[in-house]
Amino acid sequence: MTNRRTLLRSAVALTAVPALPVAWTAGPATAGVTTGESAAGVTVDPFGIPLRDVLLIGGTVAPGPTGTPVLWSAVSGEPARLVAIDPATGRTVSAQDLTGAPGSYAVAAAPDGTVYVGAYNTGDLYRRQPGPDSPIENLGRPLPSETYIWRIAVDDAGIVYGGTFPGARVFAHDPTTGTTRDYGQVLPGAQYVRSLAVTADTIYAGTQPDAHLFEIDKLTGERRELPLPDGLGDGTGQTVYDLNAHDGRVYARFGSATTGRLGVYDIARRRWTDLIDDVAGLDVSAPGPGGLVYLTRAGRLIGYHPGKRTFTDTPLVFPGRVVNNRGIGWVNLRDRDWPGRTLVGLLWRGDMFRWNPLTGRADVVPTDVPGAPIPIAALHVGPTGTVWVGGYLNGGLARVDPDTGVSTFQRFAQVESVLETGDRIWLGAYPDSRLYRYDPAAPWHSPEYSPGLPGSADNPAKLLDLKAADQVRVRALTDAGDKVAYGTMPNTTLGGVLAIVDKASAASRVHRPVVTDQSIVSLIHVNGLLVGGTSISGGYSVPPPTQNEAMLFGWDVAGDAKTFEFVPVPGATAIPALAVDRTGLLWGLAGGQLFAVDLATRSVVQRLQLPPGVADSRGKLGYDAPRHLLYALVRSEQVVQVDLATGATRQLLEQPAEFLAVHPDGRLFLGAGEHLYRVTVTG
């Protein structure tokens, strides 16, 4: 997951570009876009923030601003906020910006009540010292090379330990001296230390994408890999997602964000004593009454006795796909209805749960944590003119009125692609490269993310899940007549999937490999032929690329076979966008070029060199069929218009944006960070 923050520039630069020379229509000669004087006729209207919701990831239970226990949590946003929630009421008693940070998986407290936060995307470490008016301090990056701090833990001496990306390193930060010790990369070639826990003398660190668990001597730095529990194999393609250490045991959860298997490791006996199925994260509680620790299993909070290996149910059942607790701990509520110690924790969407083992009382309480803007991960305008927006990380789907900007938001997965066909909406979701079909005329009911009335039909309905094929992202989604087709990026191994799904029956055909060791990142359908563009890269956990250049390929839908592949732009590593015009000419974006392909001859017939410096894997295309205009969003900041009838080009505007969609009436919509913009071209 990457940071999608962008800032709109205070002024929009409009520049005219002279018409292309005759060579534009004559063959594969290259023409260039240049900038000229500012041009009128382009209006950019801010269209608001279509996606807002609560996302709590990192959390802990510790003394609050006044010394009484609270639930501390990092609320994702721009910027993220560190909040303290009263476990007696669910009310926020403190909320402070983590300036510069979009969020955190890593929140921990020292014995003196100091709260530390390790940020993702920036790699910064933040500190809030005890006291009602203490500020948030940014301590900077503990390790300059690292941009993610995945988890942190604080030992009894107040030393802060953390695990990082992209170097898979472990560090120890001494807040008294301000010094940081780098324990180095835990495993050659690894990128992620995804989980971390500490005991009096040892650090435990777990990796991704292959599961390795290390114990590191705090004093000497000596590192030793622990064997994995029986039943996990060699750990290939798995993750040590969470680690906790309590009373001589390490609890290691192997799996994903949603579910996994919890291994219980006896430190003194140096062996695994249990492997528990269907456990969600993020934390296992410290032992409570009767020696039970608490965790979420099969959607229910349960008690587990590590010595007896027995389970005790609680009444707390959490519906949905992701039921991770965000910081879980014991407090005294000073309430006769909640005597002794009560277990409290937060769920990912801001609800608080409580369980009292003495009375058996349990509840789930909504908190007052407000929703924060969600960065845009997908933007689509369908034939009806409705604007559809998918959310990044905390996810969601928004339906936006193109005239008023009024948005209707639904909680859902991270949506990486949207397609409108007739009266159905198709959604490509992260992780596991899932495909859903949504009927906007029927009530929304997602049992995974936002359950509606019991007995309601699933809407969106999941049609296909490519987890078993080791796929993670759906970047390409297209209408293929009586079918829809989508292309994917892999999770831990190279090579994407082409999936073709029947609209009526939902029957699917899944093809892998399609292009050797390449992801499918763009896709379009032309007269029974699927044309796809690839990337030599995969997801965040894949090996280094084995290929050097991105391919354009064709796939015969009826014959269910690949018909061609070739390199359209030598040296380009990705073809992120494709479009087809009303004459049947295929257009693509790659390596700083806009290119046209004659599908009959399977050859590049025209090229347009884009502004200098545009040679990366980003870019979007949009086609206005009635006016025969092609739009290209390049370098995440420039929109170029090409009149396909005359060959004239001009740079319409320059402003940060990552997503582009064209309305049937010719208006453009841009997504930049969490903001949506409408662009009207009249000149």
Side-chain angles (χ1 to χ4, degrees), residues 61 451 483:
V61 176
K483 298 175 176 60

Side-chain angles (χ1 to χ4, degrees), residues 203-223:
I203 308 163
Y204 292 88
T207 65
Q208 176 186 344
D210 297 331
H212 299 271
L213 179 58
F214 295 91
E215 58 179 10
I216 304 170
D217 187 286
K218 286 182 180 179
L219 182 61
T220 67
E222 181 181 354
R223 183 169 63 249

